[in-house]
Amino acid sequence: MVANSDRNCPLLRRLLVVASAVAVSCTLPVAAQTAATSNLATDAQSSSSSVTLQASLSTDDLLGGSPTPYHFSLAAANGSPQYGGGRNNSPRYPNYESRASHIAIVAGGGFTGPIGNDTSGYDTWGYNLDFGGGWNFNKKFGVVFEYQFDRNKIPGATIAAIGAQGGNINTHLFLFDPIYYFYTSKKTGAYVTGGGGFSRKVTNFTDLQSVQQCYYFCYYGYAPVTVASFSSTQGAFDIGLGGYWKAFGRDSNAKLFAEARYVWVDSPKPTSSTNGEGTEGLIPVTVGIRF
């Protein structure tokens, strides 16, 4: 009976096969969608717990470029600097420093006291001006070419013995001075400087005389007029000690300074045929600004 039924109902059997195929084809997409949903949920959980996977996705990956190296993405995810400077690493690239920061400049002024032979009736107290420029090789050492002008008065007894009414000694110093900062902190420091060069020393004796002076209009008045003068050019050297303060901030190259130096000038002694005062010793005390 069964065999006969199968042979008599071929259409029914074909319908059953077609229905089974349709059911299978409808079931597979639903199962694939369910699996994809499950994978996405798993990926979301994994991505929330793994910063490495998030950091490793870069623009190059999306555009088809080469993948980002794992060690770089891990550093980026952890917020580490790209160029070193971590907890145990020093910066890979040093800070840029312009060549202008190496330029050394000094400007100042103060008072000058005599020492040695000059205290024996030749010089009295006066003032000084100091200007210079040079090069700082590093934070500790530099060289400066300086011009220093010292003007000292001549004692009244010496002026009277000469028969004049006034007088002064002008010392022009041209010095090549290395400078070394032996102590530095964030805002203060100390240094030693010294060197040599040459000087031009000019001694003047003056009298008050009536002279015509013209500005916006001319008038007659009394002014010191040089009645006698002698000069000499000779070698000189100096040595000094100073301190500074970074008043404009610890990162500034500008430093307010105060220093004292000993200056020795090899001026000639007086002879029967030439005028002179002998060697000159000065103590210029100067305040100003350095770069």
Side-chain angles (χ1 to χ4, degrees):
M1 290 295 291
V2 174
N4 292 335
S5 176
D6 292 339
R7 286 194 296 268
N8 292 331
C9 301
L11 180 60
L12 180 60
R13 185 171 59 252
R14 292 178 181 178
L15 290 175
L16 290 174
V17 172
V18 171
S20 299
V22 170
V24 171
S25 64
C26 291
T27 304
L28 287 176
V30 174
Q33 183 176 4
T34 303
T37 304
S38 177
N39 290 337
L40 288 176
T42 303
D43 290 343
Q45 295 176 358
S46 176
S47 63
S48 65
S49 62
S50 175
V51 295
T52 304
L53 178 60
Q54 295 178 8
S56 63
L57 294 177
S58 65
T59 306
D60 292 338
D61 297 334
L62 297 177
L63 298 178
S66 60
T68 306
Y70 172 76
H71 68 276
F72 178 83
S73 62
L74 182 60
N78 292 332
S80 301
Q82 298 182 9
Y83 301 107
R87 293 181 179 179
N88 299 322
N89 297 327
S90 59
R92 185 177 303 175
Y93 300 110
N95 293 332
Y96 176 75
E97 191 175 60
S98 66
R99 295 181 66 86
S101 65
H102 290 269
I103 298 176
I105 300 174
V106 58
F111 61 89
T112 301
I115 192 173
N117 296 336
D118 298 303
T119 59
S120 302
Y122 292 106
D123 288 14
T124 60
W125 291 82
Y127 68 88
N128 71 80
L129 299 173
D130 187 44
F131 303 96
W135 190 258
N136 293 314
F137 294 99
N138 50 51
K139 298 294 184 181
K140 290 282 189 179
F141 179 73
V143 293
V144 182
F145 180 77
E146 293 186 70
Y147 166 71
Q148 186 176 100
F149 173 74
D150 293 277
R151 165 168 280 194
N152 293 77
K153 292 183 178 181
I154 300 175
T158 303
I159 293 175
I162 297 296
Q165 296 177 344
N168 55 69
I169 298 175
N170 301 322
T171 306
H172 305 266
L173 295 164
F174 302 88
L175 302 168
F176 183 79
D177 288 331
I179 181 170
Y180 178 73
Y181 295 91
F182 62 88
Y183 168 76
T184 58
S185 66
K186 292 181 179 180
K187 297 194 69 173
T188 60
Y191 62 89
V192 61
T193 185
F198 69 95
S199 68
R200 178 71 175 172
K201 183 178 177 182
V202 181
T203 302
N204 300 309
F205 292 95
T206 61
D207 282 342
L208 288 177
Q209 297 182 5
S210 177
V211 296
Q212 184 183 26
Q213 300 182 21
C214 296
Y215 296 97
Y216 296 102
F217 57 90
C218 295
Y219 67 94
Y220 285 92
Y222 287 93
V225 176
T226 300
V227 294
S229 176
F230 56 92
S231 62
S232 61
T233 301
Q234 54 276 316
F237 77 85
D238 70 327
I239 186 170
L241 181 68
Y244 70 82
W245 172 44
K246 290 187 175 182
F248 308 103
R250 65 182 187 179
D251 295 327
S252 173
N253 288 330
K255 300 178 282 289
L256 300 181
F257 76 91
E259 68 176 32
R261 299 192 189 191
Y262 170 69
V263 176
W264 183 81
V265 177
D266 189 23
S267 53
K269 296 180 179 180
T271 64
S272 57
S273 59
T274 60
N275 293 316
E277 300 170 353
T279 58
E280 181 180 37
L282 302 172
I283 301 291
V285 177
T286 309
V287 296
I289 187 169
R290 283 185 176 273
F291 289 89

